Amino acid sequence: MSITAPVADPVSASPSGANRVMWTSTVAFTLMFAVWLMFGILGKPIQEEFGLTDTQLSWVSALAVLNGAMWRLPAGMLADRIGGRKVMTAMLAVTAVPAFLVSLAESYAMLLVLAFLVGFAGNAFSVGIAWNAAWAPRERQGFALGLFGAGNVGASVTKFIGPPIIAATAGTTVVLGLQGGWRLIPVVYAVLLLVMAATLWLLTPSQDRMPGASRPLGEMLAPLSQVRVWRFSLYYVAVFGAYVALSAWMPLYYMNNYGVSLAAAGLLTAVFIFPASLLRPVGGWFSDRWGARRAMYGTFFVMLATSGVLMMPNGHVVINHADGTQSEHLGYAMHIVPFTLLLFLLGCAMGVGKAAVYKHIPEYFPGNVGPVGGLVGMLGGLGGFFLPPLFAYTTAWSGFPTSTFFVIFLLTALCLVWMHLTVVRMLHERSPEVSADIEVPTQGPQPAPAGILAGSTHGTTFEETRA
């Protein structure tokens, strides 16, 4: 009796199929991310036209961010079940409709509804993560997921193209009755979304990979009961949710505290956005080579250092002397240049950290990347919804604009403490004799127990493979 080995599909088995999925999904996600966060720059002209208060305007961006996070879990599961190619193409085409209708908004209520619908674009993240995880070989998953996640750089697209287009076309009718100014931006995005949908459908392999096609729903959701998943989600709130929040908050911060123009504030914010997005592939490569746990330690330490300096309020110490006079000492005020440099470093750390978080997921949950990645992405995105109001409340309560970074500092400290305690607990469970050797004096040097922190061929330690 002879056994015939199954013949693999040549398209699915070839590296070119994985590369086409990786590059086209990255471009698509970059566009979707730009659409998702376009109200960060469009907000000012919208506020002037509709006569909105700052609070009313904040809800426009907030609703877009909310809808871009709340469907990430089902979107990731759907990608695992029917294939990322179908889901991503459909999302691009569907999002084009409300994007175009934003240009026709005539009331604040209509604008809120359309902003919420446009925000659906943000859910493309979990689709792309599940899709790329299904195609990328294990040794390149960190880089592939990191490169896809670099599509976060789309947050800066509107900050670059928005102000010049608005200034050049304001008060004019461009073509077919379409109004210029801020209303032209969503029309441009609607056209690009449709073009991208067709391009993605034509360039990616028609025979997709669907790791969850035959699995029951309950089985796909089972990993969500593990504490580890929620710990990863908290990490992602710190490195992604805070990134989204700061991307929307920093233009206003720069204008209020440094007196720069909207265009200048957008460019300065891009100095933070670019490293926080483009270093994501570097974070993926680092995680592949040396382990995601090491990348997370580095991320949190840099975030603590930078946010710890940024949260220091401008001011000085006033001393009341015995003779009734006063003197001022230790005057402190951060100039815009060191502020921007520290913000840049904070963005670098977030870029590496975002990739490191998602490197964990296919390692621990290789058959559940869609639902686990969807939940982590959903909670991280919701952090982008809740953090800006928290920034505003802490600023109003303390009177210090720098309290924004105090929030980031506390969130990062919580993540680092939880992660470190988890690592220490795992090492103790693995080799409890180490504790005895440390606490009880011994006669001469003792050999280290075998197996502790033994590295793999990819530089992954016990911490990375079991945490």
Side-chain angles (χ1 to χ4, degrees):
M1 183 179 66
S2 62
I3 299 177
T4 303
V7 179
D9 172 57
V11 174
S12 300
S14 68
S16 65
N19 287 335
R20 280 183 285 158
V21 167
M22 181 176 66
W23 288 106
T24 54
S25 64
T26 298
V27 175
F29 178 56
T30 302
L31 176 60
M32 295 286 264
F33 209 88
V35 173
W36 184 34
L37 298 183
M38 68 178 175
F39 293 104
I41 284 293
L42 301 187
K44 196 66 175 180
I46 287 175
Q47 182 181 33
E48 294 173 355
E49 179 175 328
F50 286 86
L52 306 179
T53 65
D54 288 344
T55 303
Q56 288 175 315
L57 179 63
S58 68
W59 279 105
V60 176
S61 295
L63 287 177
V65 171
L66 175 63
N67 197 32
M70 61 190 298
W71 305 108
R72 290 189 172 195
L73 173 58
M77 294 175 61
L78 190 63
D80 266 353
R81 187 169 288 272
I82 69 173
R85 180 173 179 254
K86 295 176 182 177
V87 181
M88 185 70 82
T89 303
M91 290 185 70
L92 287 162
V94 169
T95 306
V97 177
F100 175 78
L101 293 177
V102 167
S103 67
L104 305 178
E106 296 295 340
S107 68
Y108 176 60
M110 183 178 180
L111 193 63
L112 287 176
V113 172
L114 292 175
F116 180 79
L117 295 177
V118 165
F120 185 67
N123 297 289
F125 175 75
S126 58
V127 176
I129 286 292
W131 194 18
N132 278 280
W135 278 88
R138 184 179 183 275
E139 66 274 10
R140 293 188 71 242
Q141 280 182 337
F143 175 77
L145 300 185
L147 180 66
F148 170 77
N152 290 165
V153 76
S156 65
V157 171
T158 312
K159 292 176 174 60
F160 280 112
I161 70 171
I165 292 179
I166 293 170
T169 62
T172 65
T173 301
V174 182
V175 64
L176 299 177
L178 296 175
Q179 297 298 309
W182 71 267
R183 294 180 181 271
L184 184 60
I185 303 298
V187 175
V188 172
Y189 279 147
V191 173
L192 292 177
L193 286 167
L194 293 176
V195 171
M196 190 65 232
T199 302
L200 184 141
W201 185 259
L202 294 174
L203 292 184
T204 54
S206 58
Q207 295 184 349
D208 209 351
R209 295 182 179 178
M210 299 166 281
S214 59
R215 300 177 59 206
L217 181 61
E219 182 180 333
M220 295 180 71
L221 292 174
L224 304 189
S225 62
Q226 298 186 29
V227 175
R228 177 185 293 128
V229 176
W230 298 90
R231 180 161 49 86
F232 293 162
S233 299
L234 180 63
Y235 299 167
Y236 207 59
V237 171
V239 297
F240 176 73
Y243 158 77
V244 171
L246 289 175
S247 297
W249 188 257
M250 280 300 100
L252 186 62
Y253 189 98
Y254 270 114
M255 287 187 288
N256 289 344
N257 295 282
Y258 292 105
V260 301
S261 66
L262 175 62
L267 293 175
L268 290 169
T269 303
V271 174
F272 161 75
I273 291 174
F274 271 105
S277 304
L278 298 182
L279 285 184
R280 199 159 179 166
V282 177
W285 170 81
F286 186 97
S287 299
D288 285 337
R289 180 66 180 84
W290 286 288
R293 191 73 60 194
R294 289 188 176 93
M296 292 307 304
Y297 268 115
T299 290
F300 289 148
F301 279 128
V302 173
M303 288 181 65
L304 282 177
T306 53
S307 62
V309 177
L310 289 169
M311 73 181 183
M312 295 172 62
N314 296 338
H316 53 263
V317 175
V318 177
I319 297 179
N320 295 314
H321 297 281
D323 60 1
T325 61
Q326 292 182 337
S327 61
E328 298 177 358
H329 303 270
L330 303 177
Y332 174 81
M334 183 171 289
H335 189 268
I336 191 172
V337 173
F339 175 86
T340 303
L341 178 60
L342 287 170
L343 196 64
F344 171 81
L345 294 176
L346 180 63
C348 291
M350 288 180 171
V352 173
K354 285 186 286 187
V357 171
Y358 268 87
K359 171 62 177 176
H360 285 93
I361 295 174
E363 291 284 342
Y364 295 114
F365 308 99
N368 292 280
V369 175
V372 175
L375 178 66
V376 172
M378 179 183 73
L379 294 180
L382 288 176
F385 171 73
F386 288 111
L387 283 175
L390 191 56
F391 295 161
Y393 285 126
T394 55
T395 299
W397 174 74
S398 67
F400 300 135
T402 55
S403 63
T404 290
F405 298 99
F406 179 65
V407 175
I408 303 296
F409 182 88
L410 289 181
L411 176 61
T412 305
L414 176 61
C415 292
L416 178 59
V417 169
W418 193 1
M419 183 179 75
H420 186 65
L421 290 177
T422 300
V423 171
V424 170
R425 175 184 55 79
M426 288 186 309
L427 292 176
H428 181 72
E429 291 175 353
R430 175 74 173 184
S431 300
E433 66 273 17
V434 173
S435 175
D437 289 342
I438 292 174
E439 295 172 1
V440 179
T442 59
Q443 300 297 324
Q446 298 293 319
I452 298 179
L453 300 181
S456 74
T457 58
H458 297 291
T460 302
T461 66
F462 169 74
E463 298 166 10
E464 280 79 42
T465 56
R466 295 297 297 262

